Amino acid sequence: MTTPCTIELLAQPFEPLQALAAWQRQLRCGCEGPGTDRGDASRVEQACLPPAEAHFIGRVRATTASGAPLEALELEHYPGMTERQLVQLAEGCLQRHGVAAALVVHRVGRILPGEAIVLVAVAADRRGPAQRCGQELLEALKHEAPFWKREWSGGVGGWVEGNTAW
Amino acid sequence: MTTPCTIELLAQPFEPLQALAAWQRQLRCGCEGPGTDRGDASRVEQACLPPAEAHFIGRVRATTASGAPLEALELEHYPGMTERQLVQLAEGCLQRHGVAAALVVHRVGRILPGEAIVLVAVAADRRGPAQRCGQELLEALKHEAPFWKREWSGGVGGWVEGNTAW
Amino acid sequence: MAIQVRLFASLRERAGWSERLVAVDGLPATPRSLWRQLHLSDGAEAGTGRAGQADALPQGIRVAINQAFAAPDTPLVDGDELAFLPPISGG
Amino acid sequence: MAIQVRLFASLRERAGWSERLVAVDGLPATPRSLWRQLHLSDGAEAGTGRAGQADALPQGIRVAINQAFAAPDTPLVDGDELAFLPPISGG
């Protein structure tokens, strides 16, 4: 069986669609029982992906909050606590919405404009819980997981206090 | 420039993550101006993907609405009107939410359990509009685009009247 | 005038046809009057037992004229494509 | 007793250090009392001008004990890891 929550903090750029593909493979693996018929394996695997999947990808903007060209975003975190918080937030969200599985991938360190900074994916039996859980988890990690953004522009770094409005 | 709304009706199985990758390539292409510096091209392309992207994938369940094993789903549509309606629904949704681009991929014909039946993706400047527009567009196409589902189980086909609750 | 009438899904199966060119004599013709003229309620489970309602356009059925949703009392003109749509279930 | 104190982001930069083992004599020690003891409001733009508030824990600052959020008046015990967290901006 796979864990329902997968949390990844990455110091290097990642490709969200590849991360989703790896997560889907993991979800399918959890379904393969010992009695799986060889010839029917691919169909059994397919049928095991939950009926509803909601994703969100966040990318770094090309400008700072004040509109200046952004050179890079620097993302500080609290090693240990950040991972722990993300797991807790995801597990709480899964239980509240009765959802099958969740994936959170989050960048740390130096991130360039256009690079993906966050990916949240939720797999569920129905579209409502999948979408609601995905939204709630994204808001939760933006406000409850210890991450701090610093915008670098013109060689000067400025800490971002708080998030943009939903 | 790319069209902000991409609508595809497919009679064959499709891989949602591949469809998303193709859509992202299309979104990037729309940004390449004639003055693009050769050496900086990949970074310029990256930066052109909007900061927020919301996706939804719907797959065919393994059972009918009444809980019997599902052999296949048959999806009838109104060729011409269905495409037209999807474009109208997507364009209205984009305008209401001030969103950059939307993708709708929908299967027609015979669909097996586990296969993707619908993919909705929205790219926007902010997470709120991306998520809200994606949800609204999914509900709109479920209720306002002429599609009719027939569940096949035990060799008998039954029309599905209405949708599952959100 | 001639109206191209199309039926879908359960309506198509109940009627036994999917597309038909219908000649209309009396005016004004509307989706509602064509539903009656073609006896499209025949075989429906609901409404058939009550006098005067046998040929009424059932509540869940929607109408499209020239591939756009339209009201059941919209006047039809020669060459229109009229479709009767059972409850939608997409996505 | 000894408390491991950690600072992050703007707090770390303002104080000029990120991690420090702090010996505490008087009891009971709390995150609030350590904030005062370590003069962590020094250099802050807000609140420094008002008498009696100079060392108060500012509103936006959150506290974690042993890597879990905690109230500023939670009693600390020997060996605790205490962190002061400026306003979060993730995702």
Side-chain angles (χ1 to χ4, degrees), chain A residues 60-115:
Chain A
V60 175
R61 288 164 205 282
T63 54
T64 68
S66 59
L70 182 83
E71 286 152 20
L73 207 61
E74 185 189 331
L75 211 82
E76 185 167 333
H77 74 297
Y78 186 167
M81 179 173 174
T82 305
E83 294 87 333
R84 196 176 304 190
Q85 267 296 105
L86 287 175
V87 169
Q88 274 187 19
L89 293 170
E91 285 180 350
C93 213
L94 251 68
Q95 282 173 13
R96 268 193 305 284
H97 294 280
V99 150
L103 168 70
V104 174
V105 184
H106 205 295
R107 281 289 305 277
V108 294
R110 184 181 165 86
I111 320 175
L112 298 180
E115 287 182 0

Side-chain angles (χ1 to χ4, degrees), chain A residues 76 78 106 144 147-148 150, chain D residues 9 12-13 62 81 86 89:
Chain A
E76 185 167 333
Y78 186 167
H106 205 295
E144 300 295 325
F147 287 112
W148 298 276
R150 176 150 55 176
Chain D
R12 171 178 52 71
E13 290 206 326
R62 295 171 75 175
E81 176 175 309
S89 58

Side-chain angles (χ1 to χ4, degrees), chain B residues 76-81 84-85 106 117-118 141-145 147-150 159-163, chain C residues 6-10 12-13 62-64 66-69 81-91:
Chain B
E76 185 167 332
H77 73 298
Y78 186 167
M81 179 174 176
R84 196 178 303 192
Q85 268 295 105
H106 205 295
I117 180 171
V118 67
L141 74 84
K142 277 179 167 281
H143 298 99
E144 299 296 324
F147 287 112
W148 299 274
K149 284 193 190 114
R150 175 150 56 176
W159 293 101
V160 178
E161 306 246 314
N163 282 289
Chain C
R6 302 184 65 168
L7 303 178
F8 290 91
S10 56
R12 172 178 51 72
E13 291 206 324
R62 295 172 75 176
V63 165
N66 300 326
Q67 308 198 353
F69 288 118
E81 176 175 309
L82 166 65
F84 293 106
L85 314 177
I88 281 170
S89 58

Side-chain angles (χ1 to χ4, degrees), chain D residues 62-86:
Chain D
R62 295 171 75 175
V63 164
I65 299 174
N66 301 325
Q67 307 196 354
F69 287 118
D73 296 310
T74 310
L76 294 164
V77 300
D78 188 43
D80 272 352
E81 176 175 309
L82 167 65
F84 292 106
L85 314 177

Side-chain angles (χ1 to χ4, degrees), chain A residues 58 73 75 106 117-118 138 141-142 147 149 163, chain D residues 89-91:
Chain A
L73 207 61
L75 211 82
H106 205 295
I117 179 171
V118 66
L138 180 63
L141 74 85
K142 278 179 167 279
F147 287 112
K149 285 193 189 115
N163 282 291
Chain D
S89 58

Side-chain angles (χ1 to χ4, degrees), chain B residues 42-164:
Chain B
S42 74
R43 186 164 156 195
V44 167
E45 284 185 19
Q46 273 234 328
C48 279
L49 279 183
E53 215 175 286
H55 312 152
F56 179 83
I57 301 169
R59 292 189 183 82
V60 175
R61 291 164 203 281
T63 54
T64 67
S66 58
L70 182 83
E71 287 154 17
L73 207 61
E74 185 188 330
L75 211 82
E76 185 167 332
H77 73 298
Y78 186 167
M81 179 174 176
T82 304
E83 295 87 333
R84 196 178 303 192
Q85 268 295 105
L86 288 174
V87 169
Q88 275 187 18
L89 293 170
E91 285 181 349
C93 212
L94 252 68
Q95 283 173 12
R96 268 192 305 283
H97 294 279
V99 150
L103 168 70
V104 174
V105 184
H106 205 295
R107 282 289 304 279
V108 295
R110 185 181 164 86
I111 320 175
L112 298 180
E115 287 182 1
I117 180 171
V118 67
L119 165 66
V120 173
V122 172
D125 191 51
R126 305 184 84 83
R127 68 191 187 285
Q131 290 170 322
R132 283 188 286 259
C133 181
Q135 278 182 15
E136 195 176 306
L137 186 48
L138 181 63
E139 296 309 305
L141 74 84
K142 277 179 167 281
H143 298 99
E144 299 296 324
F147 287 112
W148 299 274
K149 284 193 190 114
R150 175 150 56 176
E151 295 176 332
W152 286 94
S153 181
V156 178
W159 293 101
V160 178
E161 306 246 314
N163 282 289
T164 57

